Amino acid sequence: MMDKKTFAVHSNAAITAIGTYVPERILTNAEMEKLVDTSDEWIVQRTGIKERHIAADNQFTSDLCFGAIDNMIDRYGVHITDVDYIIVATSSPDAVFPSVASQVQAHYGIVNAGAADIQAACAGFAAAIQLANGLLLSGAHRKILVLGAETLSKITDYSDRTTCILFGDGAGAFLMEASYNGQGDVAAVYTKTDGERGHLLYRSSLASAIGEHAIQTNGYIVQNGREVYRWAISHVAEGIQQLLERSGYTTNDIDWFIPHSANMRIIESLCEKTGFTPQQTLSSITQYGNTSAASIPLAIDEGLKSGIVKPGQLMLLYGFGGGLTQAGVVLRWSL
Ligand SMILES: CC(C)(COP(=O)(O)OP(=O)(O)OC[C@H]1O[C@@H](n2cnc3c(N)ncnc32)[C@H](O)[C@@H]1OP(=O)(O)O)[C@@H](O)C(=O)NCCC(=O)NCCS
């Protein structure tokens, strides 16, 4: 048994299992045409989205987390009762508190774990990996469940055609563990926030203004799509370059580029600006829409299931969105 000090010095963070879940109900573009004045052609051309999965009325973000964790246990046979920290990235928790992470702790009877939700919108999953990585590297924790999970359908205004076509529900889970062999999976991290642009994409709660900007108070996701788009293709592209520089790798070294699946046009523009090719890029946008904190694990899992993601490959994960905030991670996939 290593003492704590030795553990802290030699520990590293490894991803040891993944699981995902999406609700059964599918909302197609054809059904969207019945809800708002839109068309399949417009949605596909502007966003690349064909359908999204929508939670049942009695199904909440915690339920989707349970689905993703059960899927992980089924596939990898991992034990999670000895997990010592649970982080859930979400913008659509069942309640503000207790956290979704607390509900995960209770559901699985994980008796000695800390638990917290983090809210970094669509950057949430990458931000949660960064936090888990830091906790594992410091020696403070040894086995962490990291989840990105959303029921955005519950906070989407289905009378607003500029937003309702975009969002869907889903969940993804990583198990991250301290590795004693000196081989960590996370190679580099990067974060950046433009809080002065926060009013461009928000879900309101108590206040009716963000800084100087009056906002709607209906509790739905509200956005200035055009401005968010502009920010994404300029500032986010720059952030991705910064992360690459930090990692010491080039686009040629990275096997898979996995940007947040905001929409296909943003992904294509990010590829053009950063030098990643569409063939190097994984997304979950076509079948799942924008699932915010869940979009990156859903995209990785699609790649795993189709056999193109392999152990030893380098990945660049990059989340961005409400805040406006960005978080990115370069990691070596080991599953
Ligand atoms: C939302 C988004 C797809 C809209 O596309 P766009 O090309 O910017 O469209 P605009 O807002 O300029 O609107 C163009 C026209 O389409 C119309 N329109 C908007 N939504 C529509 C819809 N669902 N169906 C049909 N027409 C629509 C607009 O009313 C406008 O009509 P007008 O020219 O008669 O005024 C695009 O702005 C976008 O992708 N933004 C980023 C959003 C995002 O990803 N947010 C999450 C980030 S994490």
Side-chain angles (χ1 to χ4, degrees):
M1 185 85 173
M2 280 184 231
D3 64 34
K4 191 165 192 295
K5 198 170 161 208
T6 315
F7 176 83
V9 171
H10 295 291
S11 67
N12 238 315
I15 296 156
T16 52
I18 180 176
T20 53
Y21 177 81
V22 289
E24 270 175 40
R25 159 110 167 83
I26 293 174
L27 179 60
T28 63
N29 287 351
E31 285 174 89
M32 273 292 170
E33 290 175 2
K34 293 180 195 141
L35 290 174
V36 286
D37 180 13
T38 191
S39 66
D40 173 56
E41 192 192 354
W42 193 96
I43 299 172
V44 171
Q45 198 237 327
R46 306 280 175 132
T47 72
I49 300 168
K50 292 193 174 151
E51 55 191 36
R52 10 28 225 125
H53 290 244
I54 301 293
D57 288 347
N58 62 352
Q59 205 177 22
F60 295 91
T61 297
S62 60
D63 299 304
L64 273 54
C65 287
F66 305 157
I69 295 168
D70 289 348
N71 176 253
M72 182 170 85
I73 293 169
D74 283 351
R75 289 160 64 186
Y76 294 90
V78 288
H79 296 283
I80 61 160
T81 45
D82 58 343
V83 155
D84 58 10
Y85 210 85
I86 304 160
I87 305 173
V88 178
T90 185
S91 301
S92 46
D94 310 20
V96 175
F97 55 83
S99 64
V100 177
S102 291
Q103 296 185 67
V104 168
Q105 179 273 322
H107 184 81
Y108 291 96
I110 303 172
V111 286
N112 285 315
D117 288 358
I118 66 157
Q119 200 285 91
C122 304
F125 190 73
I129 293 176
Q130 294 179 344
L131 294 174
N133 185 52
L135 290 170
L136 293 167
L137 290 186
S138 73
H141 292 276
R142 298 177 182 211
K143 192 167 180 180
I144 304 183
L145 261 178
V146 179
L147 291 122
E150 305 284 5
T151 45
L152 298 178
S153 62
K154 298 195 191 292
I155 56 168
T156 294
D157 178 356
Y158 284 99
S159 67
D160 175 4
R161 67 175 181 171
T162 67
T163 57
C164 72
I165 53 150
L166 295 172
F167 299 109
D169 302 338
F174 275 11
L175 187 62
M176 292 181 68
E177 297 186 57
S179 151
Y180 298 94
N181 63 10
Q183 296 198 326
D185 290 344
V186 176
V189 300
Y190 177 78
T191 48
K192 175 101 195 292
T193 303
D194 296 310
E196 63 283 358
R197 290 187 174 84
H199 61 286
L200 297 176
L201 175 58
Y202 63 86
R203 181 204 174 187
S204 61
S205 180
L206 299 178
S208 57
I210 297 174
E212 302 297 306
H213 302 272
I215 60 167
Q216 293 180 34
T217 53
N218 54 17
Y220 288 134
I221 303 168
V222 181
Q223 69 171 348
N224 179 329
R226 216 177 266 189
E227 287 304 317
V228 172
Y229 187 90
R230 277 203 196 119
W231 169 80
I233 64 172
S234 55
H235 293 256
V236 173
E238 206 179 295
I240 293 166
Q241 307 275 18
Q242 293 285 338
L243 173 58
L244 266 177
E245 223 163 274
R246 267 189 191 198
S247 74
Y249 293 114
T250 68
T251 52
N252 287 335
D253 300 319
I254 304 284
D255 296 288
W256 297 113
F257 172 45
I258 307 146
H260 161 53
S261 289
N263 73 52
M264 197 51 96
R265 278 201 306 164
I266 290 182
I267 294 174
E268 285 165 359
S269 300
L270 289 177
C271 282
E272 268 170 41
K273 296 229 165 179
T274 57
F276 283 109
T277 64
Q279 293 72 29
Q280 266 175 298
T281 305
L282 295 176
S283 102
S284 53
I285 194 74
T286 309
Q287 286 170 281
Y288 302 120
N290 179 341
T291 55
S292 194
S295 86
I296 288 176
L298 286 175
I300 294 174
D301 213 11
E302 288 297 297
L304 266 175
K305 286 174 183 164
S306 63
I308 53 175
V309 167
K310 298 191 173 83
Q313 290 182 328
L314 264 182
M315 292 180 172
L316 188 148
L317 282 48
Y318 209 87
F320 57 89
L324 300 176
T325 195
Q326 313 177 35
V329 179
V330 171
L331 58 84
R332 197 168 288 283
W333 191 250
S334 51
L335 298 173

